Amino acid sequence: MQTFEKELNPIHTRVRQISDFSQVKPSTEIEQEEYPHLEKVTQLNAYTSEKMIKRLKELEIELEEQVKQIQMESDLDARKDAVGVYNKILKSIEENIERINRELSKLDSPYFGKILFETELSNKKQELPIYIGKFALMDEQTYKPLISDWRAPIANLYYENSGPTNNLQYNTPSGLRKGNLLQKRQFNISEARFKNIYDAKSGNMAADEFLLAQLNQRLGQKLQDIVATIQAQQNGIIREEIDKPVIIQGVAGSGKTTILLHRLAYLFYSHKERIHSEKSLVIGPNKMFLDYIADVLPSLGIESVEANTYIFWAKNILGWDKTYVLHPSEEDLDIKEYKGSLEFIDILDSYFEEFESDLLESIPYSRKDIVRRRYYELKETYPNITMDERLTLSLEYAFAQKQFREKKTGFLTDTHDMDNSKKKEILKYFNNSTLPIEVYRNMFKRGYLPTKISKYTLQALARSGKNKTYRMEDLAPILYLHLKIHGHKEYEKEYVMIDEAQDLSLVQIATLLQISKKQNVTIAGDLAQSIIPPFYIKDWNQVIQLFKKWAIKNYSYHQLNRCYRTTLEIIEYGNKIFRDRFPKNYKLPEAVLRHGEDIRILQHNKDIKGLNEKDVKELVEILKKEYEKGSVTCALICRDKEHTKQTYERLLPYEHYLEKDIVDYTLNDYKTGLLILPVEDAKGLEFDTVILLDVNDQNYPDTELSTRLLYVAITRALHRLIIIENINKSPLLKQ
C-alpha cells in the first residue's frame, strides 16, 4: 500500500513519547513554574496531531481501494469517474499532510514567549499570564486563550518592551486596556521540552542572549520565520497601517525580506476582510530567491500568495510567450537609465494623451465628434473605467443617438446591417490601434524622443523570424501603456511586496503601483546592493517623488542599520573595505555582537581556468573541512555567469569525493550542499560558509560596480568567510 509517512515531520513517530511528561524532572524553579502550562498545551496538540495522522491512514486505505476500483473498471466512462475520485482523495491527502506538519510544528515548539500583564478587571487588579506563539490555541472547555497569536495586539507588549515596564496599553475588542508589564520570558522549546528559558527581568541582556542563541543555531536552512526574535523596530514596520506605501532601506542582513513576509502574514490576520492571500503578490529578484523564501509564508499558515520575478510577472500580463526574446545587441546604459526615470514616465503620460486624441480624431466614421465628446465625458465622470470600455461605450452611444434621431424625425430606413458593419469596422480599428507594443513603437516613430534614442529603440523592437525582440528596459513602459489602455482591474492585487527593489526602475515600480489597490505596497531594498547597471535608484527620494506624482501623500520610510545575519568579524572586515567607497550618508551595517572565526584569505597563482588538478583538489579539501565544521550550505560565489560556469565544470568531477551535491545555479533551487553561483544570483540569500573565488584586479577592479558586488558577496555569510585571491589581487582588498 502506498504510504505518505516520508512526507511528514519525523517527530510524527514520537507523538506519544513527546506528550508523556511523567519522566520530566524540572531542574530549576522557573522550569517547575512553567512546565504545567507546556504539558497542558502539548496534550492538546498531541491529541490533534494523532487524530489527523489517523485520518491520513484512513485516506491511504481509501486511495488503495480506489486504485483497485480503477483496475476493475472496463467501461471508459466509469474508469474516468474512478480516476476523478482517486484525484480527489489524493488532493485530500496532500492537504492533510500540510495540516499535520503544521500541527507537528506546534507540538514541537508551541510558543516562544510569555508576558505577565497586570491590569484592572472588574475593579480589581489581576495578573494575566499571556503566552505568545506562532499560532493561537484556545482551551475548548474554558474558552480561555492558552496561546496568543504573535500578530494579536497584545503581542505588541512582548515585542516592544525588553523587560518589565509600567504604564502600558493595548487594544482589545472591548477597548483600550492599560496596565503594567511585570515579566517577560523567552523560551527555546524543542520536542515540547525547555532547552533554555530567558527571564528578561534584567532588561536587554537576556533579550540579546536569546537573540544570539537563535542566530548561532541557524545552519543550512532556507529563510525561516522570525516570530520569536522580531525586534522592536522590525515589529513597528510589520504592524504599519495599510492603504499607503511603505519603504524599507536596510543594510545587508537587517531582515528586510523576513519583515516583508511577516508583514504580509500580519496583514492577512489583522485585515481578513480586506486583504487575501490569493490576491497578493511578492516580487523577488530571481527564481532561486523565490525558492529560498518559499517556505516562510506556509510556515506562518499562509497559502496561495503569488511570488514571481518582475520580468515573468510583466510578460504574463502582456501575454508574451517564448517567442518574445531579448535583443542580442549591446546595451546603451545611459538610454536604459533614461527609460527607467521619472522624466520618461512624464513622456509616456504626455504621449498617451496625444495618442488618445489622435485615435479619436482618426475614427473612420462621420459622427466621430459625438464619439470623441462622449469619450471625454466618461473619462472625467468615471475615471476608473478602462480606455477599452470608454471607447466601446462612446461608440454605442453615438449609434444610439443616431437611431434616436431617426425615430424622432420619422426618417426610418433599414440601416441595421449597415450600422452593425460600421460598428465592426470601428471596433477593429480600435483593437488594431491599441496594441501596447505598437503604441509604444509609434511614440519613437513619430519623433517624440531624440533621434539617437528612437533609432536605438526601434532597432530592438523588431521581428526576427518567428521571434519578436525587445530590450529589457522597454518591457515596463509597454506594460505601463497596456495598463492605461486595458485597465488593471483584472490584475489588481490587494497587497504587493517588492524585495530587492533597488534594482527596479521607477517605471517598473510605477506599474506595480498601478495594480496595487489603494497603493498597498511595501518596497524593500538596499541602495548599496544595486548591482545591475545602470543603478536606477540613487536615492529613495526618487521613489517618494513618484508617490507625489501619483498624489500619494501618506507614506512611510524606515531605515534598518543592524545586521542580524553575519558575525562581528565579517562585518568589521567588510566595513574596512566599504567605509571610504560608499557615500558618507550611507549607513554601513552595525553587527549584533555575535563572534565567529576570523576571515581566511588564501592565495593561488592562477584563477580557476588555470588551476591544475592538484590546486583544484586543494580547493575541494577546503570545502570538505567546512562541512566537517558543521556547515550545511556552502556557496562558491563567482564574479559572473561565465566565471560560474567555468568553476562548476572544474569542480563537478569531485562531487563524489566531496560527498555533497554540487548545485548548478541555473536550476533555481536553493539546496543544501555546494552552490556555485554568480554574485547577481546570490543577492538576498545566505549561506553557512561563503567562499569568494578569484578575487583579483580583473574580476574586481577599483570601480563602483565591483565595490557593490563585493559588498553583496561578503555579506552572504552566516558564520564563515573565505576569500581566495590571485597574486594580482583586487585593489579593493588592499587594506
Side-chain angles (χ1 to χ4, degrees), residues 288 634-641 644 663-665 675-683 685 687:
M288 184 174 284
C634 289
L636 257 175
I637 297 183
C638 305
R639 168 61 180 82
D640 52 31
K641 291 177 181 178
T644 303
V663 182
D664 180 1
Y665 81 98
L675 276 77
I676 303 175
L677 68 172
V679 181
E680 180 181 334
D681 286 72
K683 186 173 58 171
L685 308 180
F687 309 91

Side-chain angles (χ1 to χ4, degrees), residues 328-500:
S329 63
E330 187 176 345
E331 292 181 325
D332 185 315
L333 293 181
D334 290 335
I335 294 177
K336 185 175 183 179
E337 182 174 6
Y338 178 72
K339 286 185 184 176
S341 66
L342 284 172
E343 185 180 340
F344 194 67
I345 295 175
D346 289 337
I347 287 173
L348 289 170
D349 289 339
S350 175
Y351 170 70
F352 188 79
E353 288 184 11
E354 184 178 305
F355 155 72
E356 262 184 320
S357 179
D358 290 349
L359 175 73
L360 295 165
E361 188 62 38
S362 303
I363 296 173
Y365 185 38
S366 60
R367 300 167 64 83
K368 62 186 176 186
D369 287 347
I370 297 174
V371 179
R372 181 188 182 95
R373 185 172 63 251
R374 183 61 177 165
Y375 177 90
Y376 283 114
E377 285 174 358
L378 289 170
K379 186 175 182 179
E380 184 175 349
T381 311
Y382 305 102
N384 291 328
I385 67 173
T386 68
M387 181 182 187
D388 285 342
E389 291 168 331
R390 286 196 296 270
L391 289 171
T392 303
L393 290 171
S394 301
L395 185 63
E396 292 292 344
Y397 176 83
F399 277 94
Q401 286 287 305
K402 175 177 179 288
Q403 291 168 8
F404 176 74
R405 183 171 296 179
E406 287 176 350
K407 287 179 181 178
K408 188 176 180 181
T409 59
F411 184 72
L412 296 173
T413 57
D414 189 12
T415 60
H416 180 74
D417 290 341
M418 289 176 59
D419 284 352
N420 280 341
S421 177
K422 191 63 180 176
K423 259 198 274 191
K424 285 181 182 178
E425 179 192 348
I426 298 169
L427 287 171
K428 184 178 180 182
Y429 161 75
F430 286 158
N431 288 333
N432 291 340
S433 302
T434 55
L435 295 171
I437 194 168
E438 294 301 326
V439 175
Y440 184 67
R441 186 186 278 117
N442 286 336
M443 183 172 76
F444 296 94
K445 284 182 178 178
R446 293 184 183 186
Y448 219 78
L449 288 116
T451 304
K452 180 184 176 183
I453 297 176
S454 297
K455 186 176 179 182
Y456 172 80
T457 304
L458 292 171
Q459 174 198 16
L461 291 173
R463 286 184 176 271
S464 178
K466 293 181 180 179
N467 291 332
K468 281 81 73 177
T469 61
Y470 67 100
R471 284 198 174 86
M472 186 62 71
E473 68 267 22
D474 292 320
L475 177 62
I478 292 169
L479 178 59
Y480 185 78
L481 293 174
H482 175 94
L483 294 170
K484 285 175 82 73
I485 294 168
H486 302 301
H488 54 77
K489 282 292 179 187
E490 183 182 348
Y491 319 106
E492 187 176 70
K493 297 295 180 181
E494 291 167 348
Y495 213 96
V496 177
M497 296 287 184
I498 310 170
D499 206 357
E500 302 293 342

Side-chain angles (χ1 to χ4, degrees), residues 250-268:
V251 298
S254 57
K256 297 182 295 295
T257 302
T258 45
I259 289 171
L260 286 182
L261 301 180
H262 285 67
R263 173 160 170 72
L264 200 53
Y266 168 77
L267 292 169
F268 293 153

Side-chain angles (χ1 to χ4, degrees), residues 9 91 124 136 182 373 419 465 496 519 521 607 610 641 710:
N9 184 320
K91 190 172 188 301
K124 182 181 177 183
L182 303 180
R373 185 172 63 251
D419 284 352
V496 177
Q519 283 73 56
V521 57
D607 61 17
K641 291 177 181 178
L710 274 177

